[in-house]
Amino acid sequence: MICVRDVRYDYPGHRALDDVSFGLPPASITALVGPNGAGKTTLLRAIAALEEPIQGFILVDGLDVWEDPRAAHRRMGYLPDHFGLYQDLSARRCLLYAAYAMGISERAADALVDWAARQVNLLPQLEKPAKALSRGQRQRLALAQAIVHQPRVLLLDEPASGLDPEARADLAHLMRSLAAQGMTILVSSHILAELESYCTAMLVLEKGRLLRYQSLEAQAAPARVERFLRLRLDATQDTASLIGWLARAGLAVQQEAADVLHITGVPDDTAQQQLLRNLILAGWAVLEFSAHHPEAPSLEDVYRSIVHGKEERA
Amino acid sequence: MNTANTENPAFPAGQAPFAGLGGNPEFQRNLWLELSAQRLILMPALIAFILFVIISFQGLRVTANVERIAQSVAEFCLTGILGLSLWGMKLAADTLTQEAREGTWDNQRMSCLTPWQMIWGKLLGGTIYTWYGNVILLVIGTLAAAMAGIPLRQIALLVVGPVALGVLLQSASMLSVLLAWHRKGGATREATRFGFVSFLFYLFLFQALSVGFFAVRGARGGEVTLQWWGGTWPVMDFFVLSLVCLALWSVLGLWLAMRRELLEKNSNGPWWWLVFLVFWSVWGLGLGGHSSDTWSICAMFVWTSAYLQLFLAPKDRMAWRKLRAALESRDSRRIRHLWPLWTISVALALLLSVVAIGFALPRNSALDVALFLASVSCFAIRDFAWVFWLFLAPNNRRAEGAMIVSFAVAYLVLPFTVPGVFLPYWSTYSDNPVIPYFFLHALQAAVALILLYLRWRQVSAEPSSS
């Protein structure tokens, strides 16, 4: 849905983007992370056809954004870091204007305004002037403006700054909901923990260079199957027989002590329940049966491993 | 609701129909912001109060009669329209500067609004309150002028003139903001400040044009005439028509600048600029006939426009690196988009200089004419090379100030000092001053070119896009 190839962008005195290339699949939510000055905002603005790179090309939904920026804009929604609102207009009029300006017909605009306001929990505040809204409500109004025309691609620059914890949770829910409906979302943030709950992939930028595109689903999946069971038996039990019994069931067993075994190879909760049932039915005197899930690496862990891995290679 | 769906009724095929009054959302937004019941009542109430005061004072005079009172009312209306136009000029510039200040300009750039919708949505919508007052004053003023016995043709000119002046100033103030953004590479605060400074220029223009308007009106229009392309024109008619042309060109310029800002395709085409130069050259030629002086004036006008374009164009390292990258990659779209238009003005100015010199040939020797042409070219080379030397510096924050000071020195100090020192020595060898002048100019051009070459080597040493 988004294809970026060899994009280079210079500011006087430094290179903001250095041959950046990546592709994002449809309906994905990608976290754009990196330290201050990494080029996150420049990259988002280049994708939004607001800053023209020196070289390279960017396709959004198959359109070269610099060949036909205006057509590309119709497919995009963009929430800048320092978003703007028409402070003297009511929230409803702000949204109506955004819808009309994106070419929505008057007939469809009212329904879309209500839809967007509902998505960001702003329906009760629709008649208030934008300047009378709280910081968090204004942020949500700006987000509603960005999605009111139901774009295929949504670019968000620090969307959660200024939101309280409850609103952040709502934002995560909204992101998942929009992606489920087919929207491709690229979201930048400093706060990795807030991205963790909804992002499906991560782009790591540093000093204008793309360090890694990492699918978080692929990263998390193998970790979750590596569950680890601890079994403590009555001292009278024949541990060697039990090891053989478990091996015949296709499980890997390690003996920690005379009465303690560690079992791996149990793929999921259902298999774990079945194993416990079988042990009891077979008459094994089990005193303790506990499962340990090695924690899936957090987004921050993945980010650190990528950045540190790069430093070590250097 | 299914998002991002091609079948969604929110995305009808082709160009989506625009909602809002007059099909222009930007105009409608400005109406929402500018017009309220209180403001709609306040304007006519204020005008009625002032008229009441004028009529009361006039009525107290012994010599008062209906004609005299009507003339006072008409004059007040004309003054009021010019005053409101001045206010509208500030409001028009605000329609853009506020977008930059409030951080909403990016949203507008990403909207589906066409450049025309954006222009008249802002130009008329942002100043709608002043035009509301203008319409009231125009109606009252026209009736009063008719009662005062002013001829119908002159009344028409008195209506068209101020309206054209208002459109000219308001569109020009918006244009100056857009040009400042283009020059600074974005809607930054610095660029907006520059737009405000250029707004002061339009205040002087307003004063000059309105004073001219009153002066022409005072001359009783039809009584004073001028010659234009052999025809005799009443001065007031000619002045008002010229004002209308200026206003139309200003709106057209605004449209072109808005096209570029809204990332329209092929928005950096040279054709409109060429037509503009030809139009005003023809206008100027019509005033003076086909003498060599007239062609020289035309050439000077085009040279001035080239300097103006040079001043308004982005000239820093980034601009050149972008153009260089486009040239290296042979990306014709980017080359067209980035190509500096002052090059066209320079080419046309050189052409006109040759024509002017051709007209001057019968009066002068061929050597003098050739040296004059070479001198003009050296001047241009010196100035352009010097400007680029300043702007291509690694730290060019003070380049503008340095450019203005250096031009002031070059045109106001050097011509009165250097020849005074140099020419007495030359006069012992020859009495023809054209040759030493040419060598002086050539020397300056050579120094400027060497400096630019050294700077260009620095720029070229930076990493390129390839």
Side-chain angles (χ1 to χ4, degrees):
Chain A
M1 182 55 78
I2 298 176
C3 177
V4 174
R5 282 287 168 272
D6 305 324
V7 165
R8 183 178 288 185
Y9 191 96
D10 284 355
Y11 286 115
H14 82 281
R15 180 151 289 169
L17 296 175
D18 195 357
D19 293 341
V20 172
S21 298
F22 61 88
L24 301 184
S28 58
I29 310 175
T30 305
L32 179 58
V33 296
N36 282 338
K40 301 188 295 293
T41 297
T42 306
L43 178 59
L44 286 174
R45 290 179 64 79
I47 295 171
L50 291 170
E51 304 282 358
E52 184 167 15
I54 282 184
Q55 72 166 40
F57 67 88
I58 298 167
L59 302 179
V60 168
D61 196 19
L63 273 177
D64 185 329
V65 298
W66 283 103
E67 278 295 327
D68 195 353
R70 309 221 73 198
H73 285 157
R74 291 194 195 118
R75 291 160 161 79
M76 280 191 255
Y78 174 51
L79 177 66
D81 187 7
H82 301 288
F83 61 89
L85 295 170
Y86 296 108
Q87 303 288 347
D88 292 322
L89 291 183
S90 68
R92 180 181 294 282
R93 283 186 164 174
C94 283
L95 291 176
L96 272 175
Y97 171 72
Y100 293 156
M102 290 310 293
I104 306 293
S105 69
E106 202 160 4
R107 193 165 46 83
D110 285 335
L112 283 171
V113 164
D114 285 345
W115 171 81
R118 200 177 310 113
Q119 297 295 315
V120 297
N121 288 334
L122 212 61
L123 269 178
Q125 280 81 32
L126 270 183
E127 306 311 326
K128 286 185 185 172
K131 64 184 173 192
L133 300 177
S134 68
R135 169 86 173 86
Q137 287 170 336
R138 286 207 300 273
Q139 181 93 6
R140 283 187 275 149
L141 176 58
L143 183 55
Q145 283 186 164
I147 62 171
V148 71
H149 60 295
Q150 299 187 333
R152 290 161 196 241
V153 169
L154 185 60
L155 307 170
L156 306 171
D157 198 354
E158 304 282 352
S161 61
L163 296 185
D164 56 35
E166 193 181 347
R168 286 183 186 194
D170 289 345
L171 178 70
H173 175 73
L174 173 63
M175 294 294 108
R176 283 192 294 265
S177 161
L178 293 175
Q181 293 171 81
M183 214 177 271
T184 307
I185 302 169
L186 179 58
V187 52
S188 87
S189 179
H190 283 101
I191 309 160
L192 299 183
E194 85 187 17
L195 299 168
E196 193 158 28
S197 56
Y198 56 85
C199 286
T200 57
M202 178 168 71
L203 277 170
V204 184
L205 271 184
E206 194 184 55
K207 292 178 184 169
R209 282 189 167 275
L210 181 66
L211 293 187
R212 175 96 62 94
Y213 170 79
Q214 174 79 53
S215 168
L216 298 176
E217 289 167 327
Q219 176 81 9
R224 288 201 182 97
V225 300
E226 285 300 322
R227 68 183 59 206
F228 173 84
L229 299 177
R230 187 171 183 277
L231 203 64
R232 191 162 75 83
L233 303 164
D234 186 282
T236 59
Q237 293 290 302
D238 179 3
T239 311
S241 300
L242 179 57
I243 290 172
W245 186 86
L246 288 168
R248 283 193 294 280
L251 300 170
V253 185
Q254 279 189 324
Q255 189 165 8
E256 183 189 313
D259 58 345
V260 178
L261 300 178
H262 285 170
I263 305 168
T264 53
V266 179
D268 52 27
D269 289 347
T270 312
Q272 186 180 321
Q273 287 168 15
Q274 188 63 45
L275 175 64
L276 181 58
R277 193 179 298 121
N278 290 345
L279 283 167
I280 292 165
L281 286 174
W284 295 103
V286 177
L287 296 180
E288 277 180 30
F289 182 89
S290 55
H292 300 273
H293 297 270
E295 283 187 8
S298 68
L299 199 60
E300 190 149 354
D301 294 334
V302 177
Y303 171 69
R304 283 179 190 281
S305 74
I306 292 169
V307 173
H308 290 164
K310 173 228 163 198
E311 283 171 0
E312 280 166 16
R313 281 194 299 278
Chain B
M1 193 172 290
N2 183 21
T3 60
N5 186 342
T6 47
E7 300 304 316
N8 193 303
F11 288 104
Q15 182 71 37
F18 282 97
L21 196 68
N24 188 334
E26 181 60 17
F27 184 66
Q28 179 162 49
R29 183 183 68 82
N30 279 303
L31 291 192
W32 283 337
L33 288 170
E34 292 296 321
L35 296 184
S36 63
Q38 294 95 319
R39 295 189 92 198
L40 286 173
I41 294 166
L42 182 67
M43 178 67 82
L46 190 66
I47 291 170
F49 173 74
I50 295 172
L51 285 175
F52 173 74
V53 170
I54 290 170
I55 292 168
S56 300
F57 273 98
Q58 288 284 346
L60 290 175
R61 290 188 182 177
V62 181
T63 54
N65 55 40
V66 174
E67 252 186 43
R68 203 179 179 103
I69 291 171
Q71 188 166 349
S72 295
V73 169
E75 280 170 2
F76 158 71
C77 288
L78 186 61
T79 314
I81 289 166
L82 292 173
L84 284 173
S85 296
L86 190 66
W87 183 20
M89 186 167 69
K90 181 194 175 301
L91 293 178
D94 280 351
T95 59
L96 287 167
T97 55
Q98 278 182 355
E99 301 284 359
R101 209 166 30 243
E102 304 288 334
T104 48
W105 184 236
D106 281 342
N107 287 344
Q108 294 213 323
R109 286 179 77 204
M110 290 185 71
S111 74
C112 296
L113 295 170
T114 65
W116 271 123
Q117 283 179 313
M118 193 69 91
I119 286 171
W120 80 262
K122 287 187 181 301
L123 191 61
L124 184 58
T127 60
I128 191 72
Y129 193 56
T130 60
W131 284 110
Y132 172 59
N134 275 344
V135 168
I136 295 172
L137 288 172
L138 277 173
V139 171
I140 297 171
T142 305
L143 290 173
M147 287 171 72
I150 298 173
L152 195 62
R153 192 178 62 81
Q154 203 169 339
I155 291 174
L157 292 173
L158 285 171
V159 171
V160 174
V163 170
L165 184 61
V167 172
L168 167 66
L169 294 171
Q170 289 163 18
S171 56
S173 66
M174 282 177 72
L175 178 60
S176 68
V177 175
L178 286 182
L179 291 174
W181 288 355
H182 173 61
R183 187 164 153 275
K184 294 286 183 184
T188 58
R189 282 178 192 275
E190 190 190 2
T192 303
R193 270 201 298 276
F194 172 81
F196 184 75
V197 171
S198 62
F199 170 78
L200 295 177
F201 164 77
Y202 291 111
L203 277 180
F204 287 111
L205 183 68
F206 169 80
Q207 193 193 12
L209 287 174
S210 52
V211 165
F213 188 75
F214 276 113
V216 171
R217 195 180 65 89
R220 289 288 163 195
E223 293 169 15
V224 182
T225 59
L226 57 77
Q227 294 289 313
W228 191 69
W229 286 106
T232 303
W233 288 72
V235 169
M236 189 164 168
D237 293 26
F238 189 81
F239 183 84
V240 170
L241 278 175
S242 299
L243 211 55
V244 170
C245 290
L246 266 176
L248 290 175
W249 274 109
S250 181
V251 172
L252 186 66
L254 181 58
W255 175 66
L256 292 169
M258 190 64 85
R259 286 192 73 213
R260 185 168 53 197
E261 197 64 28
L262 295 185
L263 308 168
E264 285 274 319
K265 285 181 184 174
N266 304 321
S267 56
N268 195 35
W271 305 115
W272 280 114
W273 180 248
L274 274 175
V275 174
F276 172 81
L277 292 178
V278 170
F279 180 90
W280 289 107
S281 296
V282 169
W283 183 86
L285 283 171
L287 285 172
H290 291 283
S291 71
S292 61
D293 290 344
T294 311
W295 283 99
S296 299
I297 289 167
C298 278
M300 288 304 293
F301 163 70
V302 180
W303 273 118
T304 308
S305 73
Y307 275 69
L308 185 68
Q309 275 201 319
L310 176 71
F311 179 66
L312 293 172
K315 298 174 283 290
D316 58 7
R317 290 180 171 210
M318 291 311 305
W320 284 104
R321 284 172 70 178
K322 281 182 182 176
L323 181 60
R324 200 176 94 194
L327 289 167
E328 283 172 359
S329 60
R330 293 176 185 162
D331 185 337
S332 59
R333 183 192 63 78
R334 283 187 186 176
I335 292 170
R336 280 201 311 275
H337 183 65
L338 297 168
W339 190 260
L341 289 182
W342 56 260
T343 52
I344 294 163
S345 301
V346 169
L348 189 64
L350 278 172
L351 185 72
L352 280 170
S353 299
V354 171
V355 173
I357 287 161
F359 272 102
L361 263 179
R363 292 185 304 187
N364 300 287
S365 74
L367 176 67
D368 284 355
V369 168
L371 285 175
F372 178 74
L373 180 60
S375 286
V376 169
S377 305
C378 285
F379 258 121
I381 289 167
R382 178 199 67 180
D383 292 346
F384 280 59
W386 177 248
V387 167
F388 283 115
W389 183 81
L390 290 172
F391 278 85
L392 289 174
N395 182 2
N396 65 1
R397 283 175 55 205
R398 301 188 197 285
E400 272 162 18
M403 179 180 73
I404 291 166
V405 170
S406 57
F407 274 13
V409 170
Y411 285 96
L412 300 177
V413 179
L414 288 183
F416 301 104
T417 53
V418 175
V421 175
F422 183 69
L423 285 181
Y425 294 104
W426 174 260
S427 60
T428 58
Y429 300 102
S430 167
D431 57 354
N432 188 349
V434 176
I435 298 171
Y437 270 115
F438 164 70
F439 279 114
L440 272 177
H441 301 153
L443 182 68
Q444 292 173 40
V447 170
L449 277 176
I450 290 168
L451 286 173
L452 180 61
Y453 171 72
L454 295 174
R455 185 79 89 205
W456 186 253
R457 280 180 60 185
Q458 283 181 352
V459 176
S460 301
E462 289 177 355
S464 77
S465 64
S466 58

